[in-house]
Structure formats: C-alpha cells, structure tokens
Amino acid sequence: MSAEPDLVALLPIIDHQPRNPALFFQALTHGSTGISPDYQRLEFLGDRVLGMVIAELLYTRFPKAAEGQMSAFLNRLVSRESCAEIARTCKLGPLIRLGKQARDDGGAGSTNILGDVVEALIGALYVDGGLDAARAFIERHWADRIGAISEAPRHPKSELQEWAAARNRKTPVYTLLRKSGPDHDLRFTVQVEIKGLGSAEATGTSKQEAETLAAKQFLAEHGR
Amino acid sequence: MSAEPDLVALLPIIDHQPRNPALFFQALTHGSTGISPDYQRLEFLGDRVLGMVIAELLYTRFPKAAEGQMSAFLNRLVSRESCAEIARTCKLGPLIRLGKQARDDGGAGSTNILGDVVEALIGALYVDGGLDAARAFIERHWADRIGAISEAPRHPKSELQEWAAARNRKTPVYTLLRKSGPDHDLRFTVQVEIKGLGSAEATGTSKQEAETLAAKQFLAEHGR
C-alpha cells in the first residue's frame, strides 16, 4: 500500500485550505488499498456536484442553446475521459493511494480511477468548503474546455451522435438508399436512423455530403 | 392555448416569493403552446440541481451507505415517476400551460410533462433564489420519500434490479440450475446473472427463496 497522500502537493491543485484534511485523504484513496472509507462515496457526491455546476455554467453561458445541445455539451464535459484528462494535466496520478497490485497494474494512469478521483475531490471540496469551493475548482479546471465549445461549432454527424448518446440511444445508422443521375452528376440519397427515435433522409453530391445533410435534417426535425 | 399561469396558486407550492416571475411562467410553459421560451432549459438545469441536492441528502443521512446503494436510492428518488407523483400531490397539472391539442390529449396528467415541470420549477427556484431556495423545495417535497427509504429495507431482488439499472445494465436474469433432494425436502439452486457484470448462485427450499438468496449473494460479492 502507498504512503499517506501528499496533501502539500495537492494544495495547488485544489487551491483550497482543507478544514478537514481526512476528506481529501479519502478522496485520494482507492478501494484496492483496503482502507475504509475509500473515495467512492465522495465520488458519488462529486459526480452530481460536477453535473450541476457544469449545467449552470452552460445555462448561463449559452442563453439561447436548446436543451438537447446543452445536454450534448454537458455529457462531453463531465465524461470520465474529460475528468481523467484533467487529472493528467494536474499530475494527480502519483498522489492516489492504491493497493500494490492496482499500482503494479498501472492504476495511477487508469482513466477510470483518475476520473473517479477528480470527482471525489470535487465531492470533498463541496463537503469541506461548500458549493463555492467546488465551483471555483470546476471553473478553473474546465475553463479551457468550456471556452473551446463556444468557438468550435461541431460537425452535424458528431452533434447527432452526442444527441443520441444524451438520450441513451444507439449510435445513428447511415444507409445509402440510392444513387441517381448520370455518372458525371451523381446524387446520393442517405437515410439516417436512430433506433426508437426516428429517421431522416437527404440527398447530396457525395455520400459524405448526403450523410452530413441527413444528420442536419434529423436534428432540425427532431429538435436539438 | 391556456391563459397565463396562476402564480398565486403556485406560491404555496414553491413557498418562495419570485424576484423574476417570468422564470416561473416559463417553468409552467410546455413546448406545445408555441410560446418561447418553454420549460426545457429550466428542466435541464433543475434535473441536475435535483440530482445534487438528493445526492447530498443521501450522503448526509446515510453515512455508512455504499455508493451503489446511494445510487439506487437516488435513481428511485429522482425518477420521472417520483417527480410526477410530487406534481400530482401538489396539484400542479391545472397550472401548466399547454397547447390545445396537448391539453385535449391529457397533457396536464402526463407523467412526462408533470415530471418535467417539477424539475423546471426547481431550475427556476435555483436561478431565482439560489441553491437554498431549490434545496428548501426539494427537502419539503421529498421528505416523506427519503424518510420511507431509511425505514423500509428493500427486497434483495428489487435492490439488485436497481443496482443493475444504476449501472445501465440489463435486468438480472434468474435461471433454475437444479432441483435436488427427496420430494419432501427439495432444494432449488438458482443462478442470477447480470450481463457484463457477473453472476452468483444460491440454494434454498423454494425457487423464490433461492432467487432472493442469489440476489443477496450477488450484491455481497459485487459490492452494493
């Protein structure tokens, strides 16, 4: 088992003076150590704190965005992968307490564990310093990602994929329905379907263009 | 389309004096009215506020509960059905603005719409009065449900079902593996499996008992 986590190294990451340091030890403790409590309860709480704070940031920052678009943004921002990338940027891995086997297996670099620990730290900040402490951490570490969203309009196919994921649906399926027109001026008609949600069709001068237009059409018909 | 919603009738439900009444009109406005904005953006926000506040209440109230158990409680408490029941208890239906067709189709009694409006009201309270206003609403309207949880231990089969749902897995499948022993003293051995998560076995004096024990065994082995 690893030594006591290094709270001094954690301070610049959380930018908060812990009232109850035990909460932050707990947030850095993986179940494989056998130490109880591990980070799971804090991760449960932190996951919901993160969701709410990101929802609020999106609500405020994109006053005209439809609910579907905000959901897609939110799912991307709070994904395990996003949380793990933030953990890597902060170099959190070496601070996590792992059992020997989990450490030998590379647990300190695992996307699941890194993502969990970021959420657990948010939970610890919420319990220790209230919503303001948690929000300050999230605003600081998510600022670049939220900034990038507003500047990069997404490809309609990516947007539709996220739209479906936000509704717990399967990935959109594109089917070429027909090619028409003379060889020098072909037209491709594509259908996109999301099982249980509906379908849309569009025609373009290439298969790729028809797919893009069909995704746009789907979003227009079924609401973003 | 319905008339302006009745804020006077809403006041005892929200127990909050709106600073910005437009937010509460919006929370009561369904998309079928054609009025923009409708409740969707507030519902997006309120959904996450509700999740966080319930997570915090569970975290505080059940200091020993494992993450899996808290997730199961949370999913039940924030379900569309729970929100809709609260809306029915508060008699929210008649206050919702619906398009004529949606009203004729019984929209004011629809579980989806009632659940959405409760979440949208939580969103409006959060924007208008901050976390304290939203939390007060949730604590008041969810008190009985949270109280009931702590007093009614659930059946292991229900608990396992919720545990699987919390992980986006299929419902547990129970298979009778064998009957053994003499006719007057039969033993039933049952396997329960959750696809992708694992399985467990148990033996009892009836199929029902073996299933209950297998569910308990699964939860014990795979963590609540």
Side-chain angles (χ1 to χ4, degrees):
Chain A
M1 205 208 68
S2 341
E4 192 91 313
D6 185 356
L7 273 201
V8 174
L10 186 66
L11 289 184
I13 298 172
I14 59 175
D15 196 23
H16 167 84
Q17 190 62 49
R19 273 163 244 188
N20 179 3
L23 281 169
F24 295 88
F25 287 129
Q26 182 183 341
L28 294 167
T29 300
H30 185 253
S32 61
T33 55
I35 297 172
S36 179
D38 61 25
Y39 66 54
Q40 286 201 63
R41 283 173 48 88
L42 288 171
E43 183 243 323
F44 165 80
L45 180 60
D47 177 46
R48 274 73 189 188
V49 175
L50 175 62
M52 191 196 83
V53 170
I54 295 284
E56 184 187 5
L57 290 172
L58 292 171
Y59 180 88
T60 309
R61 194 177 175 117
F62 301 105
K64 304 210 160 162
E67 176 273 333
Q69 189 171 31
M70 290 197 293
S71 289
F73 289 159
L74 183 130
N75 288 335
R76 191 148 42 121
L77 289 165
V78 307
S79 71
R80 183 83 9 132
E81 288 70 27
S82 294
C83 291
E85 278 172 35
I86 284 164
R88 289 191 185 101
T89 308
C90 300
K91 301 192 177 10
L92 257 183
L95 307 183
I96 302 173
R97 286 201 282 193
L98 292 157
K100 186 180 177 325
Q101 188 63 47
R103 180 164 299 278
D104 292 349
D105 292 347
S110 140
T111 296
N112 279 337
I113 295 177
L114 288 167
D116 282 351
V117 168
V118 165
E119 292 183 337
L121 282 174
I122 293 169
L125 283 164
Y126 183 79
V127 175
D128 199 62
L131 182 58
D132 287 344
R135 188 193 277 127
F137 176 91
I138 295 165
E139 285 183 345
R140 197 153 49 89
H141 290 286
W142 265 262
D144 290 352
R145 287 161 196 280
I146 293 180
I149 275 183
S150 50
E151 284 146 28
R154 278 155 317 139
H155 192 281
K157 285 179 71 177
S158 312
E159 188 175 347
L160 186 58
Q161 171 123 20
E162 286 170 6
W163 192 90
R167 285 157 182 77
N168 288 317
R169 298 303 176 147
K170 298 226 160 140
T171 210
V173 175
Y174 294 85
T175 311
L176 180 63
L177 294 182
R178 59 186 170 274
K179 290 201 283 187
S180 56
D183 271 2
H184 66 277
D185 193 23
L186 278 172
R187 289 290 182 277
F188 298 78
T189 300
V190 164
Q191 183 199 52
V192 58
E193 182 178 12
I194 301 177
K195 225 176 168 176
L197 284 180
S199 65
E201 274 183 44
T203 301
T205 56
S206 69
K207 193 159 156 270
Q208 184 54 41
E209 190 193 60
E211 288 180 1
T212 303
L213 293 170
K216 266 195 193 174
Q217 182 62 26
F218 190 105
L219 287 164
E221 282 176 21
H222 296 81
R224 298 193 174 220
Chain B
M1 207 206 69
S2 341
E4 193 92 310
D6 184 355
L7 274 199
V8 174
L10 186 66
L11 288 183
I13 299 172
I14 59 175
D15 195 23
H16 167 84
Q17 189 62 48
R19 273 163 244 187
N20 180 3
L23 282 168
F24 296 88
F25 287 129
Q26 183 184 340
L28 294 168
T29 300
H30 185 254
S32 60
T33 54
I35 298 173
S36 179
D38 61 24
Y39 66 53
Q40 285 202 64
R41 284 173 49 87
L42 288 171
E43 184 243 323
F44 164 82
L45 181 59
D47 177 46
R48 273 73 189 190
V49 174
L50 175 62
M52 192 197 82
V53 170
I54 295 284
E56 184 186 5
L57 290 171
L58 292 170
Y59 180 89
T60 309
R61 192 173 177 123
F62 302 105
K64 304 209 161 164
E67 176 272 333
Q69 191 170 30
M70 289 196 293
S71 289
F73 289 159
L74 183 129
N75 288 336
R76 191 148 40 121
L77 289 164
V78 307
S79 71
R80 184 81 12 129
E81 288 71 25
S82 294
C83 291
E85 279 173 33
I86 284 163
R88 288 191 185 101
T89 307
C90 300
K91 303 195 178 3
L92 258 182
L95 306 184
I96 303 172
R97 285 201 281 192
L98 292 158
K100 184 179 178 326
Q101 188 62 49
R103 179 164 300 277
D104 291 348
D105 292 347
S110 139
T111 296
N112 279 336
I113 295 176
L114 287 167
D116 282 352
V117 168
V118 165
E119 291 182 337
L121 282 175
I122 293 169
L125 284 164
Y126 184 78
V127 175
D128 199 63
L131 183 57
D132 287 344
R135 189 193 276 125
F137 176 90
I138 295 165
E139 285 183 343
R140 198 154 48 89
H141 290 286
W142 266 262
D144 289 351
R145 288 160 195 278
I146 294 182
I149 274 183
S150 50
E151 283 146 26
R154 277 157 315 140
H155 191 280
K157 285 180 70 176
S158 310
E159 188 174 348
L160 186 58
Q161 172 121 21
E162 286 171 6
W163 192 90
R167 285 158 184 75
N168 288 318
R169 299 301 178 147
K170 298 223 160 145
T171 210
V173 174
Y174 295 85
T175 311
L176 179 63
L177 295 182
R178 58 186 169 274
K179 290 200 283 188
S180 56
D183 270 2
H184 66 278
D185 193 21
L186 277 174
R187 289 290 181 277
F188 298 78
T189 300
V190 163
Q191 184 200 52
V192 58
E193 182 178 10
I194 300 177
K195 224 173 171 180
L197 284 179
S199 64
E201 274 183 44
T203 300
T205 56
S206 69
K207 193 159 155 271
Q208 186 53 40
E209 189 193 60
E211 288 181 359
T212 302
L213 293 170
K216 265 195 192 173
Q217 182 64 25
F218 190 105
L219 287 165
E221 282 176 22
H222 297 82
R224 289 179 185 234

